[in-house]
Amino acid sequence: MREILFESKHYSALVFKNETEIAHYAAGIVVNQMKNKPEFLLGLATGSSPVPFYKELIREYQAGNISFAKVNTYNLDEYYPIDPTSPQSFLGFMRENLFDHIDLPEEAIHIPRGNAPDAEEEARRYQRELNRTGGTDIQILGIGSDGHIGFNEPGDAFIYDTHVTGLTRQTIEDNSRFFEDISQVPTKALTMGIGGIMNAKMCILIATGKNKAQAIHDALKCDPTPACQGSVLQFHQNTVFLLDEDAASLL
Ligand code: F6R
């Protein structure tokens, strides 16, 4: 592991050999904290980046090292509209990759509802749920190749609250690998805003592969700008970027 320090900042980047090492390191942080606080509030992300980390959490659960019985989870986002029982929904993804394998109670799963009748109202409802937490203990993040975190897409502003968003062409192309055809990728989503992410006590951002190198460079090396939403993490109190050599190649 190689550490890149940003002088007198609250964030750092750690570079690992591969995604297995990243997953192991991330799980170590989460497991340690969960052991000291069974009522842990865990912010979750979907996508490829956290999957090895979820495998590690499942392994730790199966080994009897942690329980999710008193944990509450808060997912970053969900496509809109989408049937939450469909495997392409983010809820479906989370069930397959984590929830179905651990003792997390059903009522402890928090995620925007892709089938809510009114998207704007659903955004407000989810924001009220987040407000009740006062911030999660750890927020797991990936980053889009366009620099998005959650589905806060590049734009002119950082949006604080949960909101309905259009997905960029880049994001639709990137995520088409989870669908039979690009035309099936929803063009909208409900996403936790930047406020919900920034309220987490700690953020762990996982990025691997060359296609993340530019976004990681912009997030860490440019002045914070809504053109790269991940750059807002420079203002976060405690964020660690866990990268492989490819994702770190422009730093
Ligand atoms: C997913 C999410 C997104 C992803 C990002 C990277 O809940 O919020 O920000 O983290 O699109 O996705 P992957 O890991 O598939 O490259």
Side-chain angles (χ1 to χ4, degrees):
M1 182 180 85
R2 175 164 69 87
E3 185 164 13
I4 301 175
L5 285 174
F6 299 89
E7 217 175 304
S8 63
K9 299 273 165 69
H10 303 280
Y11 55 93
S12 59
L14 303 177
V15 186
F16 297 82
K17 267 212 297 285
N18 54 46
E19 59 175 28
T20 311
E21 284 191 4
I22 293 176
H24 198 253
Y25 187 88
I29 297 174
V30 173
V31 167
N32 269 337
Q33 292 201 22
M34 276 177 65
K35 280 182 179 161
N36 293 325
K37 186 181 178 195
E39 295 86 8
F40 204 72
L41 304 180
L42 183 57
L44 298 173
T46 54
S48 306
S49 306
V51 170
F53 160 73
Y54 293 147
K55 287 204 172 90
E56 275 294 307
L57 282 190
I58 294 166
R59 209 183 48 73
E60 293 280 356
Y61 163 71
Q62 287 170 344
N65 297 332
I66 44 167
S67 165
F68 293 82
K70 295 183 179 165
V71 169
N72 275 273
T73 62
Y74 293 84
N75 263 88
L76 285 167
D77 41 22
E78 178 59 282
Y79 290 121
Y80 190 88
I82 198 157
D83 175 355
T85 64
S86 105
Q88 276 97 6
S89 72
F90 284 170
L91 180 56
F93 178 96
M94 289 309 307
R95 289 195 194 286
E96 188 187 330
N97 288 287
L98 183 65
F99 298 158
D100 284 353
H101 311 282
I102 57 176
D103 60 343
L104 180 74
E106 183 67 24
E107 62 277 13
I109 297 170
H110 306 270
I111 185 165
R113 292 177 304 197
N115 63 346
D118 180 335
E120 300 289 346
E121 178 46 39
E122 177 61 7
R124 286 190 289 274
R125 187 199 64 79
Y126 195 58
Q127 186 59 39
R128 286 194 295 274
E129 288 205 4
L130 295 177
N131 291 344
R132 279 196 285 273
T133 68
T136 53
D137 292 299
I138 290 187
Q139 175 66 57
I140 304 298
L141 295 168
I143 189 166
S145 60
D146 65 1
H148 70 221
I149 50 174
F151 272 144
N152 294 278
E153 293 284 27
D156 303 332
F158 294 115
I159 302 177
Y160 193 86
D161 282 340
T162 305
H163 55 279
V164 186
T165 182
L167 300 179
T168 62
R169 183 76 207 158
Q170 183 67 56
T171 298
I172 291 169
E173 274 170 23
D174 287 349
N175 287 9
S176 63
R177 69 189 191 280
F178 294 112
F179 293 80
E180 268 173 33
D181 187 85
I182 192 164
S183 66
Q184 291 177 4
V185 185
T187 55
K188 284 187 186 170
L190 283 153
T191 184
M192 189 187 292
I194 291 299
I197 295 170
M198 295 297 275
N199 283 335
K201 294 181 184 68
M202 180 181 192
C203 290
I204 299 176
L205 187 147
I206 298 173
T208 56
K210 272 256 182 289
N211 69 325
K212 300 293 172 71
Q214 189 64 50
I216 289 297
H217 169 272
D218 295 353
L220 286 167
K221 292 283 201 177
C222 296
D223 287 340
T225 165
C228 175
Q229 296 273 322
S231 64
V232 77
L233 293 167
Q234 292 179 35
F235 293 135
H236 188 261
Q237 54 181 329
N238 181 15
T239 288
V240 62
F241 286 72
L242 306 183
L243 312 171
D244 69 357
E245 292 286 351
D246 283 343
S249 58
L250 297 179
L251 292 181

